[in-house]
Amino acid sequence: MTPSYDVVVAGSVNADLVVRVARRPGPGETVLGSDLATFPGGKGANQAVAAARLGARTAFLGRVGSDAHGRLLRESLARDGVDLRHLRETDGPSGVALITVGPGGDNSIIVSPGANGRLDAEDVAEADGLLRSARVVSLQLEIPLPAVLAAARAARRVVFNLSPPAPVPAELLARCDPLVVNEHEAAFVLGDTGSPVRLARALLALGPRSVVITLGAEGAVAAGRDGDVTAIPSPRVEAVDTTGAGDAFTGALAWRLARGDKLPDATAFAARVGAATVRRPGAQSSYPRLTEVEGL
Ligand code: RIB
């Protein structure tokens, strides 16, 4: 019998190749940066590790390559206790993210999808029992859209981070509870900007059951179908590296919703997790345990 999970993540897993720079080069320019650091990352794997490290029973559905990165990525998910029965291997390279981190902790990322691009609806169909057993299925857009849509169709509750931004069908939006975006992603979906409250209401009008907009150091807003919008502050922290903070936020949100928290409470908890992560370098390497979040 398939065990039941709090959170099942279907998504990407990348090796993050990170260089710190004083400033980013323009076209045709070369700049010197720090030594290269390699971290386990990928928006999907990051969500899974964030949830598992906080205490969620978590499983992951995805693809790694047959290269050395694939082995490292598998080991790192396993270390945090993520169930990997549905982590498949593809001949060829794993996903890789080329990341520069600036002096203020801001990041720029180029993703080469590698094996993530091979995750298909058949892989999702094989994991049907797993997806149906989960209280929450957490999704993002670094795997092909047909796989995301198939996973959403099998889910009891979908938490969907529309990142990196790309057009998605109305059916997927209608299954989100919540749709999670930052302000840039919200503006991409709406083709318009405005205050976070206005953006949240406009997104709700597109069909999701609820919406969360993340605002970095400013916290987040959470909006339910009833139109109630709650502003959630974030604890003040010094940012060293913001890479993967949104993924930690989403993984934590998924776990608290799986536990039965109301959306504003789950969002407030997720904002504290997001704040804890920016104080250390890397994505998964910076994610907190529950005791650290409680002390924040
Ligand atoms: O959101 C941060 C993540 O985006 C990184 O870990 C990188 O792998 C890219 O997927």
Side-chain angles (χ1 to χ4, degrees):
M1 192 180 128
T2 313
S4 66
Y5 289 92
D6 299 315
V7 178
V8 170
V9 179
S12 61
V13 47
N14 297 328
D16 289 355
L17 310 185
V18 182
V19 176
R20 298 191 81 95
V21 288
R23 67 177 182 84
R24 296 187 173 84
E29 203 187 354
T30 302
V31 299
L32 292 183
S34 68
D35 284 352
L36 176 74
T38 303
F39 295 105
K43 293 185 192 304
N46 292 349
Q47 290 181 356
V49 166
R53 202 168 287 171
L54 290 164
R57 293 165 303 163
T58 309
F60 184 75
L61 164 61
R63 280 191 172 268
V64 286
S66 52
D67 54 359
H69 285 150
R71 284 191 291 284
L72 167 99
L73 296 169
R74 186 183 283 278
E75 278 165 22
S76 127
L77 281 158
R79 251 197 314 275
D80 274 290
V82 178
D83 183 323
L84 298 179
R85 264 172 290 179
H86 287 273
L87 178 61
R88 307 273 182 243
E89 187 175 296
T90 300
D91 255 348
S94 298
V96 168
L98 307 175
I99 303 181
T100 55
V101 177
D106 53 298
N107 61 71
S108 306
I109 305 180
I110 299 173
V111 172
S112 166
N116 297 304
R118 311 289 190 285
L119 192 78
D120 57 22
E122 211 171 296
D123 293 322
V124 178
E126 280 172 20
D128 192 65
L130 177 77
L131 291 161
R132 286 183 197 283
S133 80
R135 290 168 192 244
V136 169
V137 172
S138 196
L139 303 166
Q140 354 63 42
L141 276 183
E142 281 184 341
I143 55 172
L145 185 58
V148 174
L149 192 54
R153 284 182 181 145
R156 281 195 243 168
R157 181 171 191 167
V158 175
V159 170
F160 175 49
N161 181 209
L162 203 159
S163 181
V168 295
E171 180 196 342
L172 181 55
L173 291 179
R175 289 179 186 273
C176 297
D177 191 13
L179 169 70
V180 182
V181 287
N182 63 25
E183 284 176 287
H184 303 294
E185 290 148 4
F188 173 87
V189 176
L190 294 166
D192 198 5
T193 56
S195 72
V197 173
R198 198 177 91 73
L199 292 175
R201 294 220 166 98
L203 287 170
L204 270 182
L206 298 180
R209 294 173 198 167
S210 56
V211 167
V212 171
I213 302 184
T214 59
L215 305 169
E218 302 310 316
V221 296
R225 194 172 261 299
D226 50 14
D228 274 2
V229 183
T230 313
I232 315 268
S234 167
R236 292 281 151 201
V237 292
E238 185 144 347
V240 170
D241 181 354
T242 57
T243 308
D247 308 328
F249 178 102
T250 307
L253 181 73
W255 175 51
R256 295 305 273 224
L257 292 173
R259 278 182 27 150
D261 283 15
K262 296 260 180 273
L263 185 66
D265 299 334
T267 306
F269 178 82
R272 285 156 71 197
V273 172
T277 71
V278 305
R279 304 188 295 185
R280 290 184 286 268
Q284 292 165 32
S285 50
S286 70
Y287 291 176
R289 297 194 182 281
L290 189 55
T291 44
E292 182 184 344
V293 184
E294 285 167 348
L296 200 67

Short mmCIF file of all heavy atoms in Angstrom, two decimals, residues 12-16 40-44 46 96-97 99 109 111 142 163 243-247 283 287, ligand 1:
data_model
loop_
_atom_site.label_atom_id
_atom_site.label_comp_id
_atom_site.label_asym_id
_atom_site.label_seq_id
_atom_site.Cartn_x
_atom_site.Cartn_y
_atom_site.Cartn_z
N SER A 12 11.69 20.03 -10.44
CA SER A 12 13.07 20.03 -10.94
C SER A 12 14.07 19.77 -9.83
O SER A 12 13.80 20.02 -8.64
CB SER A 12 13.38 21.39 -11.54
OG SER A 12 13.24 22.38 -10.54
N VAL A 13 15.24 19.30 -10.26
CA VAL A 13 16.36 19.13 -9.33
C VAL A 13 17.62 19.52 -10.12
O VAL A 13 17.86 19.01 -11.21
CB VAL A 13 16.36 17.69 -8.75
CG1 VAL A 13 16.17 16.63 -9.78
CG2 VAL A 13 17.56 17.42 -7.90
N ASN A 14 18.35 20.50 -9.60
CA ASN A 14 19.50 21.06 -10.32
C ASN A 14 20.74 21.08 -9.44
O ASN A 14 20.63 21.23 -8.22
CB ASN A 14 19.26 22.53 -10.70
CG ASN A 14 18.10 22.72 -11.66
OD1 ASN A 14 17.82 21.86 -12.48
ND2 ASN A 14 17.43 23.86 -11.54
N ALA A 15 21.92 21.02 -10.10
CA ALA A 15 23.15 21.37 -9.40
C ALA A 15 23.33 22.88 -9.57
O ALA A 15 23.33 23.38 -10.70
CB ALA A 15 24.33 20.63 -10.02
N ASP A 16 23.42 23.60 -8.46
CA ASP A 16 23.59 25.06 -8.52
C ASP A 16 25.08 25.39 -8.51
O ASP A 16 25.79 25.11 -7.52
CB ASP A 16 22.92 25.72 -7.31
CG ASP A 16 21.40 25.67 -7.39
OD1 ASP A 16 20.86 25.20 -8.42
OD2 ASP A 16 20.75 26.12 -6.42
N PRO A 40 23.31 21.67 -3.94
CA PRO A 40 22.09 21.03 -4.46
C PRO A 40 20.97 22.07 -4.54
O PRO A 40 20.79 22.86 -3.62
CB PRO A 40 21.77 19.95 -3.41
CG PRO A 40 22.48 20.37 -2.18
CD PRO A 40 23.64 21.24 -2.58
N GLY A 41 20.25 22.08 -5.68
CA GLY A 41 19.17 23.06 -5.85
C GLY A 41 18.12 22.55 -6.80
O GLY A 41 17.91 21.34 -6.95
N GLY A 42 17.47 23.47 -7.47
CA GLY A 42 16.31 23.15 -8.31
C GLY A 42 15.05 23.50 -7.54
O GLY A 42 14.93 23.14 -6.36
N LYS A 43 14.13 24.20 -8.19
CA LYS A 43 12.96 24.71 -7.43
C LYS A 43 12.17 23.58 -6.78
O LYS A 43 11.68 23.71 -5.67
CB LYS A 43 12.08 25.55 -8.34
CG LYS A 43 12.76 26.84 -8.78
CD LYS A 43 11.86 27.73 -9.57
CE LYS A 43 12.65 28.85 -10.24
NZ LYS A 43 13.44 29.67 -9.32
N GLY A 44 12.03 22.45 -7.49
CA GLY A 44 11.27 21.34 -6.94
C GLY A 44 11.98 20.70 -5.76
O GLY A 44 11.40 20.54 -4.67
N ASN A 46 14.24 21.93 -3.94
CA ASN A 46 14.31 22.90 -2.83
C ASN A 46 13.02 22.87 -2.00
O ASN A 46 13.06 22.87 -0.77
CB ASN A 46 14.54 24.32 -3.36
CG ASN A 46 15.92 24.50 -3.98
OD1 ASN A 46 16.79 23.64 -3.86
ND2 ASN A 46 16.12 25.61 -4.67
N VAL A 96 21.20 21.91 -14.43
CA VAL A 96 22.25 22.75 -13.83
C VAL A 96 21.74 24.19 -13.81
O VAL A 96 21.09 24.64 -14.75
CB VAL A 96 23.55 22.67 -14.67
CG1 VAL A 96 24.54 23.73 -14.24
CG2 VAL A 96 24.18 21.29 -14.55
N ALA A 97 22.03 24.90 -12.71
CA ALA A 97 21.71 26.33 -12.65
C ALA A 97 23.01 27.11 -12.49
O ALA A 97 23.80 26.82 -11.59
CB ALA A 97 20.77 26.60 -11.48
N ILE A 99 24.55 30.41 -11.43
CA ILE A 99 24.03 31.47 -10.55
C ILE A 99 25.13 32.47 -10.20
O ILE A 99 26.23 32.08 -9.79
CB ILE A 99 23.47 30.86 -9.24
CG1 ILE A 99 22.38 29.82 -9.58
CG2 ILE A 99 22.93 31.93 -8.30
CD1 ILE A 99 21.74 29.15 -8.36
N ILE A 109 19.98 33.90 -12.37
CA ILE A 109 20.06 32.45 -12.59
C ILE A 109 19.76 32.10 -14.05
O ILE A 109 18.78 32.60 -14.61
CB ILE A 109 19.04 31.70 -11.69
CG1 ILE A 109 19.24 32.07 -10.22
CG2 ILE A 109 19.14 30.20 -11.89
CD1 ILE A 109 18.29 31.38 -9.24
N VAL A 111 19.06 28.52 -16.06
CA VAL A 111 18.88 27.08 -15.83
C VAL A 111 19.02 26.33 -17.15
O VAL A 111 18.42 26.69 -18.16
CB VAL A 111 17.49 26.79 -15.22
CG1 VAL A 111 17.23 25.29 -15.17
CG2 VAL A 111 17.39 27.36 -13.81
N GLU A 142 9.76 24.30 -13.65
CA GLU A 142 11.06 23.94 -14.26
C GLU A 142 11.02 22.54 -14.88
O GLU A 142 12.06 21.99 -15.22
CB GLU A 142 12.19 24.04 -13.24
CG GLU A 142 12.64 25.47 -13.00
CD GLU A 142 13.82 25.57 -12.05
OE1 GLU A 142 14.09 24.61 -11.29
OE2 GLU A 142 14.46 26.63 -12.06
N SER A 163 6.77 29.68 -11.37
CA SER A 163 8.13 30.15 -11.52
C SER A 163 9.01 29.04 -12.12
O SER A 163 8.91 27.90 -11.66
CB SER A 163 8.67 30.55 -10.14
OG SER A 163 9.98 31.03 -10.23
N THR A 243 19.05 33.16 -2.81
CA THR A 243 18.75 32.03 -3.70
C THR A 243 17.88 30.98 -2.99
O THR A 243 18.22 30.52 -1.90
CB THR A 243 20.06 31.34 -4.17
OG1 THR A 243 20.92 32.34 -4.70
CG2 THR A 243 19.78 30.28 -5.22
N GLY A 244 16.77 30.63 -3.61
CA GLY A 244 15.93 29.54 -3.10
C GLY A 244 15.03 29.95 -1.95
O GLY A 244 14.32 29.10 -1.40
N ALA A 245 14.99 31.24 -1.60
CA ALA A 245 14.13 31.66 -0.48
C ALA A 245 12.66 31.44 -0.84
O ALA A 245 11.86 31.00 0.00
CB ALA A 245 14.39 33.12 -0.12
N GLY A 246 12.30 31.72 -2.09
CA GLY A 246 10.91 31.52 -2.52
C GLY A 246 10.52 30.05 -2.48
O GLY A 246 9.37 29.70 -2.17
N ASP A 247 11.47 29.17 -2.79
CA ASP A 247 11.18 27.73 -2.77
C ASP A 247 10.98 27.24 -1.33
O ASP A 247 10.11 26.41 -1.06
CB ASP A 247 12.32 26.94 -3.42
CG ASP A 247 12.68 27.48 -4.79
OD1 ASP A 247 11.77 27.97 -5.48
OD2 ASP A 247 13.87 27.42 -5.15
N ALA A 283 20.89 27.45 -1.55
CA ALA A 283 19.46 27.22 -1.41
C ALA A 283 19.24 26.22 -0.28
O ALA A 283 19.14 26.59 0.89
CB ALA A 283 18.87 26.74 -2.74
N TYR A 287 18.48 26.14 4.45
CA TYR A 287 17.12 25.95 4.96
C TYR A 287 17.12 25.56 6.43
O TYR A 287 17.93 24.74 6.88
CB TYR A 287 16.38 24.88 4.14
CG TYR A 287 16.06 25.34 2.73
CD1 TYR A 287 15.46 24.49 1.83
CD2 TYR A 287 16.37 26.63 2.30
CE1 TYR A 287 15.17 24.89 0.53
CE2 TYR A 287 16.09 27.04 1.01
CZ TYR A 287 15.48 26.18 0.14
OH TYR A 287 15.20 26.59 -1.13
O1 RIB B 1 14.80 29.21 -6.91
C1 RIB B 1 16.17 28.92 -6.83
C2 RIB B 1 16.50 27.77 -7.70
O2 RIB B 1 16.25 28.14 -9.04
C3 RIB B 1 17.93 27.35 -7.66
O3 RIB B 1 18.21 26.34 -6.71
C4 RIB B 1 18.21 26.92 -9.09
O4 RIB B 1 18.47 25.56 -9.23
C5 RIB B 1 16.98 27.33 -9.89
O5 RIB B 1 16.19 26.25 -10.14
#
